Amino acid sequence: MNIDRAVLAMAGTIILGSVLLVVLVSSWWLLLTAFVGLNLLQSSVTGVCPAAWVFRRAGLGSGCAFR
């Protein structure tokens, strides 16, 4: 697994988890979904992704999107 796939897998997991929490707990969990979406948008514009930094330090290999 490379950094790109790890970032996308993490984002997808957090979004699905927050949707589940919206259904089971409270609609306030939509804020988590919005945060993940804004972070993905920001990283697509700037090329800077905090999650990619964490995965790089964890030893994952580089992909083509996050350097």
Side-chain angles (χ1 to χ4, degrees):
M1 178 176 283
N2 61 28
I3 292 173
D4 297 352
R5 290 178 185 239
V7 168
L8 294 174
M10 183 186 74
T13 301
I14 291 173
I15 288 172
L16 289 174
S18 70
V19 168
L20 183 65
L21 288 168
V22 165
V23 171
L24 297 176
V25 180
S26 169
S27 62
W28 284 101
W29 285 101
L30 284 173
L31 292 173
L32 180 59
T33 303
F35 173 76
V36 172
L38 285 172
N39 192 16
L40 288 170
L41 182 62
Q42 173 270 326
S43 65
S44 73
V45 171
T46 64
V48 176
C49 180
W53 293 340
V54 171
F55 288 127
R56 184 176 300 112
R57 292 188 67 97
L60 288 180
S62 183
C64 62
F66 302 108
R67 295 178 190 248

